[in-house]
Amino acid sequence: MQDKPYTRREFIRHLSLAALTGLSIPLLSSCGKEQVEDFLQKHFLEMTRQEKEALITRLEERYLKKYGRRFKVSTQEAIPDTLWGYGLDLSRCIGCRRCVYACVEENNSSRRNPQSQWIRVIRLKKGSLINLEDSEHYYNPEQVPEKGFLYIPVQCQHCEEPPCVKVCPVHATWKEPDGLVVVDYNWCIGCRYCIAACPYRGRTFNWAEPSVPSDKWNTSVHYLGNRPRMRNIVDKCTFCIQRVRMGRYPACVEVCPTGSRKFGNLLDPQSEIRYVIENKRTFRLKEDLRTEPKFYYFFEA
Amino acid sequence: MQAFRETVRETWRFYRKTLALVFTGTKEYYLWCLLLLCIMLIGFLCYLPQFQTGLITTNMKDQVVWGLYISNFTFLVGVAAAAVLLVVPAYIYQFGPIKEIVVLGELFAASSIMMALLFVMADLGRVDRFWHMFPGIGTMNFPSSLLAWDVIVLNIYLMLNLVIPVYLLVKTYYGKEPNKKFIVPLILFSIPMAVGIHTVTAFLYNGLPARPFWNASILAPRFLASAFCSGPAIIIIAFQILREYTFIKLEDRALFKIAELMAYAMFLNLFFLMSEMFKEYYSNTIYIASLKYLYEGLHGHNALVPWIWVGTLMNLIAFILFLFPVARERLSTLNIGCILIIAGVWIEKGPGLVIPGFVPDPLGEIYEYIPNFRELFISFGIWATGFLIFTLLMKVAIPIASGEFSHAKYMEERPPSGSKKQALL
């Protein structure tokens, strides 16, 4: 984004913000500089390049002070001509939940109080696939896979018509040019309407400040992805935006021991995901809701 | 310039006098206000940890993300919308007995809206970022998000229900005729707005295909029908209490008329419920799960079942009571009916509507949500705030309406010392 001239809209905004700040002086004087900076922070998409750079420096300093670790916060934009798509082979998935835990570690999700996971693996009796009411979320056998069951990992499906984006009252969540549905954690007001609107349980709420052991932080983060979150805001799977925009696979794809997880660019005819769509019998969850997920489930022919 | 200064001075004098009115009262009045302030304080003290630590201090979870706060919000929007049931007979059909209390009814609606908005604030994770929703400085997602719509219509309705009664009361205070060209359009506009706030709130739930329980076309009609029962029920009780303690003029005929309208509304409410029941149970698809959870329990989880049956039964009994003029035109049975309706509709439109939408969740998990004590006390605190607002508004509005507090009286008591000009308003 390049610099824009000072518009009237911006002037009104600054004036109103100044007035708001003035009104809240007694409140703000009791807070630190950080709270003031946070309070006045703009929407990510409305920031200029310079503002983004200043923000990143500020965040990196703050994380160093707060967590004692040197973070690298990226704002890497979408790669042109890319539309990320995901494939999941249900005949291979053994329900081991390694993806769940790899995701938690990669994405700095809260470990305990609250425990927050972006992937949920549900277990269904063989013979049934659509009625999720019969799903078991907390299966815990000695060994997986179990006879007579199949496992469906579910995470954000990165819909082309995302209902969560539609309902957000403040545009705090949106679809990026490469199809990733992301959240500006500093803009979210915590109303949780998007969670109510999501048919896949693709979103989680930070019911408290996330707790991550200090030696467990993944310091390679993206502003719209796995950077440390704050309390009372919504976050979600971003297909590991910090990885895929650098040419790497999402953590869940990398960790899967059975190779059930496939990932690639839907616009590239040579990609793995295109191969899956053309050669396997794929389906998407709850297609009847017309959310157009970019997450394809399939069975080995 | 001189005239302007005099107006400002008189306005200031009026404010001072209303403040004096609010701060002086009987022992009962002080005790009542003190009680409300105590409940508010407890609520606020319960809110502080929620604000500092996060919503983890409530019983809500990722499976059930809205709980007691949003339940109360939904119920109160309905209560507020019900002022229209006074406005229509009073202003459109010129029904005298109701006309005398309609101003108070509008202030009642304003208090309800303020409570509803406070409940949203209590539920909001980041109250500090609320300004992100303001048009102009924030990024309001209008017209796409129904929540943005709701914020707009609720605020317009709140403004209407403050401007109309305050204008009429100020005019009465100075013994002037209100300007019909100014106030009648506003009153007429408040009628569709009343329907509007509740329709938009219904659509807020209705527009989510992820939640089949709410994704039923009958939702908005059911909202309106139940609102036209619960709001007037509270008004009937509140006005009888006011009649007991103040000089408010209120004929029983007005109450009976409202009760008659409530009987029609309750009939529609029960009929819509039956239509929904038939559709769900006769089709018996997988989308019945939430309704089953509510009315008979699902896979052994049945926290809401006793509540909803008691609520439905209350509505049914109240309907039968209000059906017969003998019953609804006797204050004792009328009041029993009203209390049954308030409780019944609160269960049905509050927790009975919000919680089953999340049970089972979209991946079939069942988490049984029951509010904890913090949520309860914060809710009591907000209710007390609303009661206090309403009490204070009444403390000023009733003496004005009854002619006991007026400019003429003030001038009599204390003639202006040497001033040439008197009130200009």
Side-chain angles (χ1 to χ4, degrees):
Chain A
M1 238 180 265
Q2 66 270 72
D3 285 27
K4 281 174 287 182
Y6 201 58
T7 59
R8 193 174 63 169
R9 183 181 152 86
E10 237 171 326
F11 174 72
I12 294 173
R13 172 174 303 197
H14 287 158
L15 202 71
S16 326
L17 276 182
L20 257 177
T21 329
L23 285 171
S24 23
I25 277 172
L27 183 79
L28 290 177
S29 56
S30 62
C31 310
K33 189 169 145 251
E34 283 180 9
Q35 276 94 332
V36 180
E37 283 167 354
D38 278 353
F39 180 73
L40 295 175
Q41 189 175 317
K42 281 188 185 176
H43 191 287
F44 185 71
L45 291 180
E46 292 187 354
M47 285 184 208
T48 60
R49 189 183 294 271
Q50 281 92 330
E51 282 170 323
K52 279 183 193 167
E53 277 165 13
L55 169 66
I56 294 314
T57 323
R58 218 169 68 210
L59 283 181
E60 287 176 350
E61 279 169 14
R62 191 188 295 182
Y63 295 155
L64 179 64
K65 216 165 65 188
K66 191 168 174 190
Y67 307 114
R69 302 288 304 272
R70 208 166 282 282
F71 278 74
K72 176 84 196 66
V73 184
S74 157
T75 52
Q76 169 84 53
E77 283 170 27
I79 307 163
D81 304 314
T82 322
L83 194 63
W84 298 116
Y86 208 110
L88 204 146
D89 185 349
L90 288 176
S91 44
R92 281 177 188 242
C93 178
I94 55 168
C96 65
R97 294 203 186 98
R98 280 198 183 87
C99 49
V100 177
Y101 293 100
C103 170
V104 165
E105 295 206 350
E106 167 69 26
N107 289 300
N108 294 323
S109 297
S110 183
R111 305 298 202 274
R112 244 182 305 116
N113 286 330
Q115 188 185 50
S116 183
Q117 297 168 345
W118 288 347
I119 306 176
R120 180 153 282 250
V121 187
I122 55 176
R123 189 185 74 181
L124 283 173
K125 265 206 190 82
K126 274 187 179 154
S128 156
L129 195 59
I130 299 298
N131 189 359
L132 299 178
E133 204 189 308
D134 301 329
S135 66
E136 174 54 54
H137 288 242
Y138 301 98
Y139 65 91
N140 193 20
E142 286 287 302
Q143 215 179 8
V144 286
E146 301 151 278
K147 239 183 146 45
F149 292 106
L150 64 94
Y151 305 90
I152 309 185
V154 188
Q155 60 211 68
C156 173
Q157 311 275 304
H158 293 275
C159 308
E160 269 302 280
E161 299 291 339
C164 49
V165 170
K166 193 158 114 183
V167 301
C168 174
V170 294
H171 279 301
T173 182
W174 65 90
K175 201 177 68 185
E176 284 276 286
D178 53 1
L180 302 180
V181 177
V182 293
V183 182
D184 181 351
Y185 308 129
N186 276 71
W187 199 256
C188 170
I189 59 171
C191 70
R192 315 188 289 294
Y193 197 16
C194 55
I195 300 183
C198 176
Y200 307 103
R201 222 179 129 174
R203 292 175 162 252
T204 51
F205 191 68
N206 288 273
W207 297 93
E209 187 84 15
S211 66
V212 178
S214 63
D215 58 325
K216 292 287 187 187
W217 284 105
N218 172 11
T219 53
S220 165
V221 297
H222 193 285
Y223 180 85
L224 298 172
N226 56 341
R227 71 177 166 117
R229 268 84 76 194
M230 57 291 271
R231 67 169 202 272
N232 282 359
I233 53 108
V234 169
D235 62 17
K236 62 185 289 301
C237 156
T238 61
F239 281 171
C240 286
I241 189 169
Q242 68 280 7
R243 288 167 151 255
V244 298
R245 285 190 179 172
M246 307 293 270
R248 299 174 68 192
Y249 276 126
C252 47
V253 174
E254 238 174 56
V255 81
C256 181
T258 59
S260 311
R261 289 169 171 268
K262 313 288 178 196
F263 187 79
N265 180 3
L266 288 164
L267 303 180
D268 173 10
Q270 305 302 317
S271 70
E272 212 175 351
I273 185 68
R274 282 288 288 272
Y275 179 86
V276 165
I277 292 170
E278 270 145 46
N279 295 286
K280 313 287 177 187
R281 306 292 176 260
T282 60
F283 73 98
R284 292 170 298 170
L285 274 188
K286 306 196 186 187
E287 276 178 343
D288 49 336
L289 302 185
R290 288 246 185 99
T291 50
E292 306 295 345
K294 294 191 288 290
F295 201 105
Y296 296 85
Y297 292 92
F298 63 98
F299 292 94
E300 213 34 87
Chain B
M1 198 60 208
Q2 178 71 27
F4 175 72
R5 262 167 56 195
E6 187 54 41
T7 314
V8 170
R9 200 172 298 159
E10 177 53 35
T11 311
W12 173 237
R13 210 178 290 148
F14 176 70
Y15 278 130
R16 267 196 356 239
K17 278 181 289 173
T18 52
L19 275 183
L21 203 59
V22 161
F23 280 110
T24 48
T26 59
K27 208 157 114 199
E28 284 106 327
Y29 171 72
Y30 284 130
L31 276 176
W32 168 244
C33 289
L34 193 69
L35 173 73
L36 292 178
L37 283 168
C38 287
I39 302 174
M40 283 163 70
L41 183 71
I42 295 170
F44 183 70
L45 291 178
C46 286
Y47 177 71
L48 280 180
Q50 179 191 307
F51 181 74
Q52 274 152 4
T53 316
L55 287 159
I56 196 166
T57 52
T58 69
N59 271 357
M60 291 183 272
K61 280 195 178 183
D62 278 338
Q63 293 85 343
V64 180
V65 292
W66 289 338
L68 190 63
Y69 303 142
I70 296 299
S71 304
N72 275 307
F73 159 76
T74 312
F75 175 74
L76 282 166
V77 171
V79 169
V84 77
L85 219 60
L86 297 182
V87 171
V88 172
Y91 294 122
I92 311 263
Y93 296 108
Q94 301 291 340
F95 185 69
I98 288 186
K99 204 163 181 178
E100 277 160 13
I101 53 168
V102 68
V103 167
L104 309 183
E106 278 160 347
L107 290 173
F108 170 83
S111 320
S112 312
I113 289 281
M114 283 190 243
M115 270 191 271
L117 291 173
L118 277 174
F119 271 113
V120 174
M121 290 302 198
D123 185 72
L124 209 59
R126 307 296 311 208
V127 187
D128 51 329
R129 297 182 190 164
F130 188 68
W131 64 273
H132 292 178
M133 216 194 252
F134 296 162
I137 54 166
T139 51
M140 181 184 248
N141 189 5
F142 184 85
S144 173
S145 170
L146 262 300
L147 201 52
W149 278 76
D150 216 21
V151 168
I152 293 174
V153 290
L154 285 174
N155 279 297
I156 295 178
Y157 190 68
L158 175 62
M159 285 302 134
L160 281 175
N161 278 293
L162 286 175
V163 168
I164 296 171
V166 168
Y167 175 81
L168 290 175
L169 286 171
V170 168
K171 284 288 176 195
T172 317
Y173 174 79
Y174 288 106
K176 306 248 164 121
E177 272 300 302
N179 180 357
K180 286 239 160 73
K181 277 199 186 115
F182 168 69
I183 203 69
V184 171
L186 285 186
I187 291 170
L188 291 179
F189 182 50
S190 78
I191 298 169
M193 281 309 292
V195 178
I197 55 165
H198 217 34
T199 309
V200 169
T201 306
F203 285 176
L204 191 150
Y205 297 101
N206 202 188
L208 305 178
R211 311 279 171 181
F213 182 66
W214 298 331
N215 197 220
S217 338
I218 200 86
L219 199 76
R222 271 191 73 187
F223 261 58
L224 284 173
S226 63
F228 291 150
C229 307
S230 59
I234 300 181
I235 288 180
I236 287 179
I237 301 273
F239 283 1
Q240 285 178 76
I241 296 173
L242 286 175
R243 186 164 65 175
E244 203 64 32
Y245 288 100
T246 68
F247 298 106
I248 180 183
K249 274 186 284 172
L250 172 66
E251 292 176 46
D252 282 346
R253 274 204 306 148
L255 300 182
F256 301 153
K257 187 77 192 170
I258 301 174
E260 184 192 333
L261 297 174
M262 283 163 69
Y264 305 143
M266 188 45 94
F267 167 73
L268 285 176
N269 188 32
L270 292 170
F271 177 71
F272 290 155
L273 173 66
M274 192 198 76
S275 313
E276 191 164 17
M277 285 289 196
F278 167 76
K279 181 249 180 185
E280 292 299 348
Y281 273 93
Y282 196 80
S283 329
N284 199 24
T285 65
I286 58 171
Y287 304 118
I288 198 178
S290 294
L291 197 77
K292 258 199 175 134
Y293 169 68
L294 180 60
Y295 280 93
E296 51 180 298
L298 196 65
H299 305 300
H301 302 274
N302 46 18
L304 290 181
V305 175
W307 288 87
I308 196 66
W309 281 108
V310 169
T312 312
L313 207 68
M314 284 172 157
N315 285 343
L316 207 65
I317 296 172
F319 171 63
I320 295 167
L321 274 180
F322 278 30
L323 201 56
F324 299 105
V326 213
R328 71 165 182 257
E329 288 179 4
R330 186 188 300 149
L331 287 179
S332 56
T333 36
L334 176 76
N335 288 337
I336 292 173
C338 283
I339 289 167
L340 289 175
I341 285 182
I342 296 168
V345 173
W346 185 82
I347 294 170
E348 185 198 315
K349 273 287 135 335
L353 173 99
V354 174
I355 300 167
F358 295 104
V359 187
D361 87 347
L363 296 186
E365 190 187 344
I366 294 176
Y367 163 66
E368 284 212 278
Y369 163 85
I370 293 289
N372 64 12
F373 280 106
R374 183 181 311 285
E375 290 171 85
L376 271 177
F377 284 122
I378 293 176
S379 300
F380 286 142
I382 294 174
W383 277 98
T385 312
F387 279 24
L388 188 68
I389 293 172
F390 184 64
T391 308
L392 300 185
L393 286 173
M394 287 302 108
K395 192 75 186 21
V396 178
I398 292 173
I400 294 182
S402 65
E404 183 196 343
F405 176 60
S406 73
H407 190 62
K409 249 192 184 160
Y410 165 76
M411 295 312 268
E412 265 170 39
E413 278 159 22
R414 206 163 51 146
S417 51
S419 98
K420 286 145 256 158
K421 280 187 185 145
Q422 289 173 7
L424 287 147
L425 204 79

